[in-house]
Amino acid sequence: MKENNLKLTSSEIGTLWGEYVNGTLVDVVNRYMVTIIDDEAIKNIFKEAISTFEKQKNQIVSFLEKEGFPIPIGFTETDLYKGKQRLFTDIFCLNYLHIMTLHGMLGHTTALGVSVRKDLRDFYDSCDTDAKIMYHRTIELLLEKGNFQRDPLFYPAKNPEYVTSQDFNDGYFGKGRTLASTEIISISFNLKKSIMAKTLSIAFSQVAQSKDVRKFLTDSEKTADSQIKTFSKIMQGDNLPVPKSWETEVTTSTDSPFSDKLMLYHIGFLYQAAQNYHGAGLASAMRTDLVTAYEGTILKNLIVTKKWFNLMVKNKWLEQPPLAPNRSELSKEV
């Protein structure tokens, strides 16, 4: 049997489904942003992102149709309200594209890791290549405009050293040591993503139509702010700089460019994705205060995502992914 004639596995179908739904979400946001951006260089990079996803979307549809699976609903033009007032500055739009590109790269790598069929592996390879090109372009443009936030700089030690004290794990009461470079990777990464979640929560809460959705967005903004303060305090305790906030990159518009469904799903997506990154941070943490901070953050995020799930289900906005056959139900039909 030729490899490309193999039936797609449940994992392969799941990754295609997720790529489609999350991809159409970001695509709708990108299509709005390209209409409000004044800077030609930033506008052009968004046009490229939209064109790239259109190609990927068509390939995903082809994979699913050949396997007989329905195409997900995802997000469409009906979730985009055209001709609305500007909600974000050009620089925020560029930072948004950069952060979403990071999500895309990690997602493509995960999808590739569970793919067996060569045509699907080739597809995710091409997606990864596209994402890497966009990653480099967003960084170069942010650097050019003086808006890329680099992580803290360290000064080199004279020689490599071994850990010689149990205090290496102690981050309380000033008895421990300063942050390790391996710990700052996750702290800085998570701070930037929390800042994005907070900023989008603020923007979306200004324009959401539903009172329940506005309440959730306001609460999620407070949760993100609490997490930002927690990890910023740890960084500042070692006299290290923290990423700047983006709240001032949101205008005062109350004219919604998106459906409530899209905005609610987007924030939920960010919180769900954050659990992976906080988990990675917890795994690399070697100071007790960091371990406690990550554990508390993960628990708070679970509370947020449970509220999000209930609200999405209540409004019939949560699309169901393909499910395993229910053999018990099937046997009753005989």
Side-chain angles (χ1 to χ4, degrees):
M1 179 184 290
K2 291 185 178 180
E3 188 180 351
N4 288 353
N5 290 331
L6 293 171
K7 297 284 290 182
L8 291 177
T9 66
S10 54
S11 297
E12 291 168 333
I13 291 296
T15 58
L16 288 168
W17 188 91
E19 290 268 347
Y20 187 94
V21 173
N22 295 331
T24 54
L25 166 75
V26 177
D27 184 58
V28 170
V29 177
N30 287 347
R31 288 178 183 275
Y32 163 69
M33 288 182 170
V34 79
T35 66
I36 64 170
I37 293 169
D38 294 322
D39 186 291
E40 284 301 319
I42 300 177
K43 185 184 287 284
N44 287 335
I45 204 171
F46 268 84
K47 289 179 179 178
E48 183 180 326
I50 292 168
S51 176
T52 297
F53 177 70
E54 186 65 25
K55 174 187 68 176
Q56 295 172 355
K57 178 182 173 183
N58 291 336
Q59 288 179 282
I60 294 171
V61 168
S62 178
F63 280 124
L64 291 174
E65 285 182 339
K66 287 179 180 178
E67 295 293 315
F69 282 86
I71 307 306
I73 299 166
F75 296 88
T76 67
E77 290 290 324
T78 61
D79 295 297
L80 176 61
Y81 306 151
K82 297 180 179 179
K84 299 299 181 179
Q85 296 177 21
R86 170 187 282 268
L87 186 58
F88 306 107
T89 66
D90 286 5
I91 287 299
F92 177 81
C93 292
L94 182 55
N95 274 292
Y96 173 87
L97 183 58
H98 175 67
I99 293 294
M100 292 301 111
T101 298
L102 280 171
H103 279 294
M105 284 200 304
L106 293 168
H108 299 325
T109 302
T110 300
L112 177 61
V114 299
S115 297
V116 176
R117 258 178 42 178
K118 187 176 185 304
D119 57 348
L120 199 57
R121 285 186 281 119
D122 289 343
F123 169 63
Y124 284 125
D125 267 338
S126 67
C127 289
D128 187 50
T129 298
D130 291 336
K132 286 176 180 176
I133 291 171
M134 184 59 64
Y135 173 75
H136 290 301
R137 288 202 61 193
T138 54
I139 286 182
E140 288 166 3
L141 196 50
L142 283 165
L143 286 170
E144 179 184 316
K145 297 188 176 297
N147 273 278
F148 186 79
Q149 300 186 63
R150 299 182 66 198
D151 295 336
L153 301 177
F154 274 13
Y155 291 95
K158 291 182 179 180
N159 298 296
E161 298 178 12
Y162 285 103
V163 175
T164 59
S165 170
Q166 293 297 324
D167 284 349
F168 191 84
N169 290 327
D170 194 349
Y172 289 112
F173 312 120
K175 297 195 309 182
R177 42 78 188 175
T178 55
L179 289 168
S181 57
T182 50
E183 293 167 330
I184 291 179
I185 296 171
S186 292
I187 296 174
S188 183
F189 197 60
N190 285 314
L191 269 171
K192 291 173 183 177
K193 291 184 177 298
S194 293
I195 289 169
M196 173 63 71
K198 178 184 177 182
T199 307
L200 284 177
S201 294
I202 290 172
F204 292 165
S205 67
Q206 289 179 191
V207 298
Q209 302 300 305
S210 163
K211 289 183 179 179
D212 288 342
V213 173
R214 283 203 304 272
K215 174 69 166 56
F216 173 85
L217 293 169
T218 301
D219 290 345
S220 69
E221 180 265 322
K222 292 176 182 176
T223 300
D225 184 62
S226 173
Q227 294 171 5
I228 293 166
K229 288 177 179 175
T230 295
F231 289 103
S232 294
K233 183 178 179 181
I234 292 172
M235 292 277 278
Q236 290 165 343
D238 285 342
N239 299 305
L240 295 172
V242 297
K244 69 176 182 180
S245 65
W246 293 330
E247 293 99 318
T248 55
E249 306 301 328
V250 177
T251 72
T252 56
S253 173
T254 57
D255 195 14
S256 180
F258 308 117
S259 67
D260 281 8
K261 171 191 168 184
L262 181 144
M263 292 186 288
L264 183 60
Y265 184 91
H266 203 326
I267 297 302
F269 163 74
L270 290 177
Y271 271 92
Q272 288 177 318
Q275 293 293 65
N276 290 326
Y277 308 131
H278 292 311
L282 177 60
S284 65
M286 294 177 286
R287 254 177 44 173
T288 50
D289 58 336
L290 268 181
V291 170
T292 302
Y294 279 121
E295 288 176 341
T297 296
I298 290 169
L299 288 173
K300 289 177 182 177
N301 280 358
L302 285 172
I303 294 171
V304 171
T305 52
K306 179 173 174 50
K307 291 179 180 178
W308 170 83
F309 177 85
N310 291 337
L311 192 52
M312 288 290 292
V313 171
K314 175 184 175 182
N315 286 284
K316 297 181 180 180
W317 289 339
L318 190 60
E319 192 171 352
Q320 180 174 282
L323 301 178
N326 188 325
R327 301 299 180 181
S328 298
E329 290 298 320
L330 290 172
S331 66
K332 293 178 183 178
E333 296 177 6
V334 177

